[in-house]
Amino acid sequence: MPQMLNLGLRMPAFEGYEFVADLRWKDYSRHDQLDIRMFGGDLGDEVPEWLPRYRGMNDTIRLSAGLEGLAHEDVRFGGRLRFESAALEDNEVTPLDASGTSLTAALGSQLRVTESIQLQLGYELSWFPTMDASNSRFDPREQVACVDSDFDFDQCSAARDGRGFASAAGSYQRLQHGFLLSLRYDQL
């Protein structure tokens, strides 16, 4: 799992509300390859035992800020805006990961049913701006060329890196919804 660093801030804003903000850094750049190893049975000569998958990930930064009702209130409302940078450049998008930069708006409420039971309800809408992966670093012809060369070391650099498979060529834009319904029980 990537390492993360979170920094947060909570301070009074105005009557009945607090300003909340956080900054998160995620160390994705250490996860530059997904390593797949096959074993057991007869794989034959055409199926390699080791399949590296290039990921080319970058570190991400997430910035979130908003307002929340005071924690001791029986009914609380809140909202946040969030920006998160992309872990991948457009030309490194794969069919396994096609998420880019995102902008999110979130609203939530909390009802204190008893001193220790709270009901929470939330909704968020995230927009992922258009990513253009037309100039992809991935190409299945690289794997074919590697096999045709009888696995010549110089001809197989893209295949060795894990970039010799289908690209996600095209343009992608996404709108994502999230809904939260939870029952919280605190016991001290």
Side-chain angles (χ1 to χ4, degrees):
M1 298 301 293
Q3 295 174 341
M4 289 189 292
L5 176 65
N6 288 301
L7 300 172
L9 171 70
R10 179 179 292 271
M11 59 188 275
F14 54 86
E15 185 76 29
Y17 283 90
E18 294 178 311
F19 173 76
V20 290
D22 69 87
L23 176 67
R24 181 186 76 188
W25 164 77
K26 228 179 203 182
D27 183 15
Y28 276 130
S29 61
R30 295 176 50 165
H31 298 269
D32 60 347
Q33 284 199 341
L34 177 64
D35 190 0
I36 301 171
R37 307 249 177 175
M38 300 216 221
F39 61 92
D42 183 18
L43 298 174
D45 294 335
E46 294 183 18
V47 178
E49 180 183 320
W50 177 52
L51 297 168
R53 291 291 183 243
Y54 176 80
R55 295 180 82 188
M57 300 182 93
N58 302 313
D59 293 354
T60 61
I61 299 289
R62 183 185 76 185
L63 178 61
S64 175
L67 294 172
E68 286 184 3
L70 300 176
H72 66 274
E73 298 290 332
D74 288 340
V75 177
R76 298 174 58 197
F77 296 98
R80 289 188 184 210
L81 295 175
R82 182 174 62 230
F83 165 82
E84 187 163 0
S85 64
L88 295 169
E89 300 296 327
D90 286 6
N91 67 345
E92 294 177 333
V93 169
T94 71
L96 299 173
D97 190 359
S99 297
T101 300
S102 67
L103 301 169
T104 302
L107 297 172
S109 63
Q110 177 178 298
L111 171 65
R112 186 180 307 276
V113 180
T114 68
E115 190 62 35
S116 57
I117 297 175
Q118 299 169 21
L119 181 63
Q120 297 173 328
L121 180 67
Y123 173 77
E124 72 177 26
L125 177 64
S126 298
W127 174 59
F128 296 81
T130 302
M131 297 174 58
D132 184 9
S134 299
N135 189 18
S136 179
R137 294 192 65 187
F138 300 93
D139 188 346
R141 294 175 293 190
E142 297 287 351
Q143 184 68 34
V144 172
C146 177
V147 172
D148 288 348
S149 73
D150 202 22
F151 300 97
D152 179 82
F153 187 81
D154 294 328
Q155 294 291 319
C156 293
S157 63
R160 280 194 325 272
D161 285 347
R163 292 182 288 112
F165 70 100
S167 73
S171 294
Y172 301 90
Q173 181 175 316
R174 189 171 83 199
L175 196 59
Q176 176 177 300
H177 303 271
F179 181 72
L180 168 77
L181 176 61
S182 71
L183 183 63
R184 178 175 157 181
Y185 178 73
D186 294 324
Q187 182 181 11
L188 298 176

